[in-house]
Amino acid sequence: MSSCDIASPKNSMMPFEEAMSLMFNNINTLPSVESISLTMSLGRILAADITSPVNMPPFDNSAMDGYALRSDDLKNSMSLTLVGTAFAGTPYELAVESGNCIRIMTGAQLPQGCDSVIMQELVDVDGSKITMNSAVSKGNNIRHCGSEFSLGDTVLKQGEVISARHIALIASLGLKTIEVFKSLTVGIFSTGDELVELGLPLKAGQIYDSNRFAIIAQLQKMNMNIIDYGVIKDDPQLIKNAFEQANLEADVVITSGGVSVGEADFTKDILQEIGNIDFWKIAMKPGKPMAFGRLSDSLFFGLPGNPVSAMVTFYQLAKPAIQKLSGQTLKESLRLSATLTNNIKKRAGRLEFQRGIASTNLKGELSVSTASSQSSGMVGSMCNANCFIILPQAQENLSVGDNVIVELFDSNLQG
Ligand code: AMP
Ligand code: MG
C-alpha cells in the first residue's frame, strides 16, 4: 500500500471528494518563513497572525468637516463661541470650555471637553458666533478610539493570501515588514515523443506542448518559483533523470500526459521506484486519469495529457493541494445558482466541470450556457468560457430553465 492508502478497488472510479481528501491528508507541513517588506507582499501568504499594535482609530476624531462642541451646551443655547480650529494632524491643544466650540476637519483629533461634532452645513456662522440649526446628540460624528479594533486584537489570520485590501489594513497599523511563508518551488515538465517546442515546425504526428505553458501560467498567478524542465522524450532513462533532478530541486513536481491506462509503463515504474505514487481514476470529467503522491523530497502531480483535462485537474485538484502546501488557509470557492439557457446531455457517474459562459440580465439574475465545445482535447473551448458549470456525479440530462451550479473562473484562468 502506498502513502496514499487507496482503498478503492482497481478499475472503480474514485469520487472527486475522496481524491481531494486523500490529497489533503497527505499535506501536513508548512513552508519556512521569511520577513518581507509590505510593499512586496501582494499574493504572498501570512505566516503568522497579525495583531494590532494600536487601537484603531488611535484617538477620538471627527468623521466630518464641522464644529466640535459639548452637546449639553445646546440645552441652554443654540449659539456657541468659536475659539479655535483642529486640523487632521494638528490638534487643538486646549480643553474646550462650556459655551465654546471649535472648527474641526475630518480626521482631526477631538479636543478635550467636546463630545460631538455638527456638520458645517447645519450651522450659521457670524464672525465667532456659531448658531446650530439642529440639535446634536452626544457622540454624533465621532469616530471613537478603538471602535474598529483594540490594541492586541487579531486582525488577520495566518494562512491569508495578501491582497490589496489586506495591504491597506496592515499599512494602517504601521507595519513595514511582515512574516510570510517562503514561496514553494515547482518543477514542471511534459513527457511525450509527439510534443514539440514552440517555434519549431511540426513534423507528421507531432503537436505543440501546450500543457506546460497553461500550468506555468497558473503557477505564476500563485506566486510559485517555477523550474521549467521542458519536454522529456518517452525514454525511461531521460524520464528517470528528470524526476530525480526535479525531486532534488523542487517542492512540487508536475507532469502531464502518460497517466492513462495502457500508457508507457516505465513512467509508472520509475515513479513507484523513487516515490509513493498512486494512479487514480477519478470520477470526474474532464480529467479521469491522474497520479498523485510523494517523491522522496517533493509532492508529485501527474496530470492527464488532454489539454482541457490537464487544465481542469490542475485547477480543481492540484491547485488547492499546492495552496495548502504553501500554507494557505483554503476557502470554499464561491458557487452560484444559474439558469441554464441550453440543454445538457449527461450520464450519471462522473462529476462534470463543463465550461460555461455566465452572464447577468438587468435584474442581476445569472444565466449560463455551455461553451461551444466540451471536448477535452479542444483547448480553445476554455477561451470562450468564464466559468465551470458543476454537474454532480449523479446528475443526468438537464433542460433549458433548470438551475445549475456555476463557479466563476478565478484569477488563475481569468487573468
Ligand atoms: P496521454 O495522457 O499522454 O495519453 O495524452 C492524451 C492526449 O493529450 C494525447 O492526444 C496527447 O498527444 C495529448 N497531450 C499530452 N501531453 C500534452 C501536452 N503537454 N500538450 C498538449 N497535448 C498533450
Ligand atoms: Mg502521452
Side-chain angles (χ1 to χ4, degrees):
M1 202 77 200
S2 80
S3 63
C4 300
D5 291 331
I6 312 305
S8 313
K10 286 254 175 297
N11 295 323
S12 76
M13 287 193 291
M14 185 191 297
F16 177 84
E17 294 74 17
E18 188 183 330
M20 202 69 149
S21 56
L22 282 169
M23 280 196 313
F24 280 8
N25 291 342
N26 267 270
I27 300 169
N28 299 305
T29 55
L30 287 174
S32 48
V33 174
E34 63 182 334
S35 190
I36 60 165
S37 153
L38 181 63
T39 54
M40 298 303 289
S41 70
L42 187 65
R44 301 295 299 274
I45 299 160
L46 271 185
D49 291 354
I50 292 196
T51 54
S52 180
V54 290
N55 292 310
M56 190 58 66
F59 49 87
D60 288 354
N61 69 91
S62 177
M64 294 279 174
D65 291 328
Y67 294 83
L69 50 84
R70 309 164 75 105
S71 54
D72 278 351
D73 281 358
L74 302 188
K75 289 175 185 158
N76 306 324
S77 161
M78 291 302 269
S79 294
L80 298 171
T81 305
L82 182 65
V83 294
T85 305
F87 292 96
T90 310
Y92 179 74
E93 303 284 3
L94 304 173
V96 174
E97 304 294 334
S98 181
N100 293 341
C101 66
I102 64 152
R103 177 97 171 92
I104 193 164
M105 311 304 164
T106 306
Q109 183 165 5
L110 190 71
Q112 220 187 318
C114 293
D115 59 21
S116 52
V117 168
I118 185 166
M119 62 194 289
Q120 62 190 27
E121 290 81 355
L122 297 177
V123 307
D124 290 326
V125 181
D126 179 8
S128 64
K129 188 179 172 204
I130 310 295
T131 303
M132 320 299 150
N133 296 324
S134 156
V136 183
S137 317
K138 196 171 175 166
N140 265 17
N141 300 320
I142 306 296
R143 303 190 286 214
H144 288 284
C145 175
S147 56
E148 187 176 2
F149 39 76
S150 303
L151 187 153
D153 281 357
T154 299
V155 295
L156 289 173
K157 291 269 199 201
Q158 178 195 314
E160 190 78 56
V161 183
I162 298 167
S163 68
R165 297 170 287 133
H166 303 116
I167 288 177
L169 175 57
I170 298 166
S172 78
L173 305 178
L175 302 176
K176 201 171 173 183
T177 56
I178 53 170
E179 306 262 280
V180 295
F181 289 119
K182 282 193 175 156
S183 295
L184 300 180
T185 299
V186 182
I188 177 162
F189 59 92
S190 305
T191 57
D193 281 343
E194 79 276 33
L195 301 178
V196 175
E197 287 288 356
L198 311 188
L200 298 178
L202 290 180
K203 295 187 191 133
Q206 294 185 326
I207 57 166
Y208 291 114
D209 172 15
S210 63
N211 289 346
R212 198 158 40 92
F213 300 96
I215 305 306
I216 286 175
Q218 294 198 62
L219 292 167
Q220 285 170 334
K221 282 283 184 183
M222 295 161 70
N223 260 312
M224 299 289 143
N225 302 316
I226 299 159
I227 307 177
D228 180 358
Y229 296 106
V231 174
I232 312 291
K233 291 280 175 207
D234 286 328
D235 172 310
Q237 194 53 51
L238 291 179
I239 292 184
K240 184 170 184 184
N241 294 348
F243 277 126
E244 282 177 341
Q245 192 186 346
N247 179 43
L248 281 181
E249 295 176 341
D251 304 298
V252 177
V253 179
I254 300 177
T255 66
S256 68
V259 288
S260 43
V261 187
E263 191 58 49
D265 269 344
F266 46 73
T267 304
K268 238 182 206 182
D269 292 345
I270 292 163
L271 284 169
Q272 275 158 351
E273 183 189 323
I274 64 169
N276 287 305
I277 309 293
D278 280 294
F279 290 81
W280 295 348
K281 279 197 284 175
I282 303 176
M284 69 184 284
K285 189 179 173 187
K288 189 163 70 171
M290 160 142 181
F292 169 74
R294 280 190 179 281
L295 304 176
S296 62
D297 293 305
S298 56
L299 208 61
F300 176 81
F301 297 92
L303 307 176
N306 274 316
V308 178
S309 307
M311 218 184 297
V312 174
T313 48
F314 179 85
Y315 186 93
Q316 294 289 351
L317 284 161
K319 179 177 70 144
I322 294 170
Q323 286 169 330
K324 184 172 182 208
L325 189 70
S326 306
Q328 186 174 332
T329 303
L330 296 183
K331 296 183 177 154
E332 289 290 323
S333 42
L334 195 60
R335 292 185 172 182
L336 308 168
S337 173
T339 309
L340 204 51
T341 59
N342 59 262
N343 297 335
I344 293 183
K345 280 210 159 104
K346 181 179 183 303
R347 264 188 283 170
R350 291 206 262 167
L351 172 67
E352 289 195 16
F353 295 92
Q354 296 218 355
R355 279 71 67 209
I357 304 161
S359 60
T360 51
N361 63 17
L362 287 175
K363 289 189 198 155
E365 294 158 340
L366 190 65
S367 62
V368 68
S369 59
T370 46
S372 53
S373 166
Q374 297 295 325
S375 159
S376 58
M378 294 191 185
V379 75
S381 71
M382 290 294 296
C383 296
N384 303 325
N386 62 7
C387 67
F388 289 113
I389 303 172
I390 299 179
L391 305 176
Q393 194 168 329
Q395 179 70 54
E396 297 185 330
N397 291 346
L398 286 142
S399 309
V400 172
D402 285 348
N403 278 330
V404 287
I405 291 169
V406 154
E407 185 185 285
L408 297 177
F409 291 163
D410 74 9
S411 63
N412 258 36
L413 294 178
Q414 198 71 343

